[in-house]
Amino acid sequence: MASYMNIPANLCFVSMSCKMSSLQSDPTLERHFKGHRDNVTSVDFSCNMKQIATGSMDSSVMIWNMKPQMRAYRFDGHKDAVTSVQFSPSGHLVASASRDKTVRLWVPSLKAESTAFKAHTATVRSINFSADGQNLVTASDDKTIKVWTVHRQKFLLSLNQHINWVRCAKFSPDDRLIVSSSDDKTIKLWDKNSRECIHSFYEHAGYANHVDFHPSGTCIAAACTDNSVKVWDIRSHKMLQHYQVHSGVVNSLSFHPAGNFLITASSDSTMKILDLVEGKLLYTLHGHQGPVNCVAFSRTGEYFSSGGSDEQVMVWKSNFDCAEGIDDFRLQHKAAPSLQAVGSSTAQPPLTPSEHRSQACDPSEHANGQDSHTKSGSRSQSRATRSQTFGPLSSSSSSTHQTQTPGLPPHSPQVQAQSQASDGGVPPGLASTLEHIIGQLDILTQTVSILEQRLTLTEDKLKECLENQMEIGLHLQRREEA
């Protein structure tokens, strides 16, 4: 069902812009999947990098296995286009949203077990798990945002202040806030507990197709229909950066987990990698034929994946060196040919580190997620493709290719491994065991949920039978009295 191959030189290439900041080498195309029969609308990685989930206008959800030669799973259950998919933080459930007004929770295995529930009265545009994996937030054309429990899919709350379709809704990294974007040209920030709208950011030239929190939780980024990408500080409510680098509508975006980079996908058929520290465009990636609808970094940021109107799913290796992570992240307000800087660098408070989102994943499993010999072959051919069509956008790009950004020194894998060990990290064997236990618990939860649904149906039938029996008894009693 799934195929993977290298893309011809005239279809896939990487353009370099500005100077190279904290990059070891150019992004490279690693895998290429084709199996959907219509536009790919959404993409997400499992935490261990073994699987990729995609949704499509063809009404299906597909699970692609990163291990070569393993077949993909096609999940057919929705009755209309799938608009959004996401793995649970543990990686053992996949949630999907659809135009058929329902949300489905799938176990990403060959059996394709799923639970469906009607979430809204109109198209469900997006779905997002909370960091702890206990809740879901959905956004819909019925102008509402709703929060549900994953277990039993119990409705918790609804946010109702948008006056047009809601395109996207996401939890903050600490699950305290929700951000939403709507066709009413607003982006709203909500307090989940109080259910109040904390602030509304207004879009005058269009609306935001996609919005998400920075990993630090202190700012948000929006992919807008006016071809721009905007970043706001949620504390000062001021715009930090405004990128005008696309020539078409921006459909999706994803923050690198370290917080230093942002990737965007656009209807101009390109993806852009932005350096948020330097405030510059780094790369323009060409690969899809037609609009790029979705893009997402893997949980570690080592890979990113994209899906487009050409029905294709592409997996790229980032080749980023982001040893500093979130703690050293600072947004810069430096003007560049492709960037409009808003305000001055002293006007905005610096971003502060926040607690990292924990994932029940085994780092060793991520490292072994793909066969090394297959990856190396694909990488070498992909690099050859890039070198044939590579064209720097500025004359200084080639001379600054290996330049390291001040304040972001490179770190070797050995140093990182030592620091993780000294911090008392979980041994790989124990992490693998814990992941297996979590997986079994997720499956058990799913099974219990299905049994509860069946029990509810049985109770309803029994109640109906009892009511009919009572009516028959009363009818007989009346006849006897008569």
Side-chain angles (χ1 to χ4, degrees):
M1 187 177 294
S3 61
Y4 60 95
M5 57 185 176
N6 293 306
I7 307 302
N10 64 333
L11 294 183
C12 178
F13 61 93
V14 181
S15 300
M16 179 174 66
S17 301
C18 306
K19 74 177 183 178
M20 308 313 302
S21 171
S22 305
L23 298 183
Q24 294 176 331
S25 56
D26 305 334
T28 53
L29 182 67
E30 293 287 301
R31 301 290 299 277
H32 169 235
F33 299 108
K34 188 169 177 61
H36 280 297
R37 298 160 188 160
D38 206 334
N39 288 9
V40 181
T41 57
S42 183
V43 62
D44 192 39
F45 285 88
S46 64
C47 62
N48 59 15
M49 259 297 297
K50 289 184 176 180
Q51 294 179 318
I52 296 174
T54 55
S56 170
M57 297 287 285
D58 65 10
S59 305
S60 74
V61 174
M62 291 196 71
I63 307 297
W64 310 92
N65 289 292
M66 288 297 292
K67 189 174 182 180
Q69 312 306 325
M70 285 191 67
R71 294 184 62 187
Y73 307 138
R74 179 189 296 276
F75 296 163
D76 294 310
H78 285 294
K79 298 177 181 178
D80 207 334
V82 178
T83 55
S84 180
V85 295
Q86 192 188 28
F87 274 98
S88 63
S90 66
H92 297 285
L93 288 175
V94 173
S96 59
S98 171
R99 278 185 182 173
D100 65 11
K101 308 174 187 177
T102 70
V103 166
R104 280 184 177 266
L105 292 175
W106 310 82
V107 177
S109 64
L110 189 59
K111 292 183 180 180
E113 298 172 341
S114 71
T115 300
F117 63 98
K118 186 176 180 181
H120 291 271
T121 58
T123 296
V124 188
R125 291 283 176 180
S126 81
I127 193 162
N128 180 240
F129 279 97
S130 59
D132 60 11
Q134 298 301 308
N135 295 326
L136 289 166
V137 61
T138 56
S140 171
D141 286 0
D142 64 10
K143 307 175 189 177
T144 68
I145 302 136
K146 293 183 179 180
V147 178
W148 314 80
T149 63
V150 174
H151 178 59
R152 300 184 65 177
Q153 299 84 54
K154 180 183 177 182
F155 170 75
L156 292 179
L157 61 95
S158 182
L159 306 173
N160 306 302
Q161 291 187 27
H162 282 296
I163 58 174
N164 208 333
W165 295 355
V166 187
R167 294 276 173 174
C168 184
K170 295 287 185 74
F171 283 109
S172 61
D174 60 9
D175 294 338
R176 293 188 306 105
L177 304 175
I178 293 173
V179 65
S180 61
S181 62
S182 168
D183 285 18
D184 63 12
K185 297 187 176 182
T186 68
I187 296 170
K188 293 186 182 291
L189 195 64
W190 309 82
D191 185 299
K192 189 185 76 172
N193 294 327
S194 68
R195 308 183 188 185
E196 294 180 356
C197 179
I198 300 172
H199 186 75
S200 292
F201 302 91
Y202 292 92
E203 283 289 305
H204 301 290
Y207 58 85
N209 276 319
H210 189 97
V211 67
D212 203 2
F213 280 93
H214 183 270
S216 68
T218 56
C219 67
I220 57 172
C224 304
T225 57
D226 63 358
N227 307 350
S228 71
V229 177
K230 297 168 185 174
V231 182
W232 284 277
D233 188 308
I234 65 171
R235 300 161 301 180
S236 64
H237 303 151
K238 294 181 179 179
M239 189 184 295
L240 298 177
Q241 292 180 337
H242 183 192
Y243 294 90
Q244 292 183 312
V245 293
H246 284 289
S247 59
V249 170
V250 187
N251 298 312
S252 180
L253 54 77
S254 179
F255 281 103
H256 188 278
N260 295 349
F261 302 99
L262 181 69
I263 188 167
T264 60
S266 170
S267 293
D268 64 11
S269 78
T270 70
M271 291 174 285
K272 307 278 186 179
I273 297 178
L274 307 171
D275 185 332
L276 299 176
V277 177
E278 292 293 318
K280 293 181 179 180
L281 170 66
L282 289 182
Y283 284 115
T284 296
L285 291 90
H286 304 257
H288 289 279
Q289 299 179 46
V292 188
N293 299 323
C294 53
V295 67
F297 274 110
S298 64
R299 298 298 198 266
T300 63
E302 186 178 356
Y303 295 89
F304 59 90
S305 183
S306 58
S309 61
D310 56 4
E311 306 172 7
Q312 299 181 54
V313 179
M314 296 183 181
V315 182
W316 309 72
K317 187 165 186 181
S318 307
N319 296 317
F320 291 177
D321 180 15
C322 298
E324 269 64 27
I326 300 173
D327 292 354
D328 289 337
F329 176 75
R330 297 290 185 276
L331 283 180
Q332 300 296 322
H333 300 267
K334 296 181 179 180
S338 56
L339 164 68
Q340 283 190 354
V342 181
S344 65
S345 58
T346 58
Q348 314 296 342
L351 295 181
T352 57
S354 67
E355 184 176 349
H356 290 251
R357 181 178 299 190
S358 61
Q359 302 290 348
C361 296
D362 183 358
S364 64
E365 287 189 339
H366 171 80
N368 298 324
Q370 301 187 40
D371 277 352
S372 58
H373 67 276
T374 304
K375 280 176 59 181
S376 61
S378 173
R379 185 183 307 132
S380 61
Q381 293 182 30
S382 179
R383 288 184 186 280
T385 298
R386 187 206 68 249
S387 63
Q388 291 171 6
T389 57
F390 184 84
L393 299 184
S394 64
S395 59
S396 60
S397 294
S398 59
S399 62
T400 60
H401 180 82
Q402 298 297 334
T403 303
Q404 295 291 335
T405 304
L408 293 176
H411 287 248
S412 66
Q414 290 81 2
V415 174
Q416 289 182 340
Q418 290 173 3
S419 63
Q420 290 174 357
S422 63
D423 291 340
V426 179
L430 178 58
S432 178
T433 303
L434 290 172
E435 181 186 1
H436 177 72
I437 293 172
I438 291 172
Q440 294 301 313
L441 289 173
D442 276 343
I443 294 171
L444 181 61
T445 300
Q446 190 79 0
T447 304
V448 170
S449 178
I450 293 171
L451 290 174
E452 285 178 343
Q453 288 184 351
R454 292 176 180 175
L455 181 60
T456 301
L457 290 173
T458 304
E459 289 174 344
D460 290 343
K461 289 291 184 182
L462 182 59
K463 184 179 179 181
E464 184 179 347
C465 289
L466 290 172
E467 288 175 350
N468 290 335
Q469 188 176 355
M470 289 179 65
E471 287 181 4
I472 293 171
L474 290 171
H475 182 69
L476 291 173
Q477 185 178 356
R478 289 168 184 168
R479 286 184 61 181
E480 290 175 356
E481 291 176 353

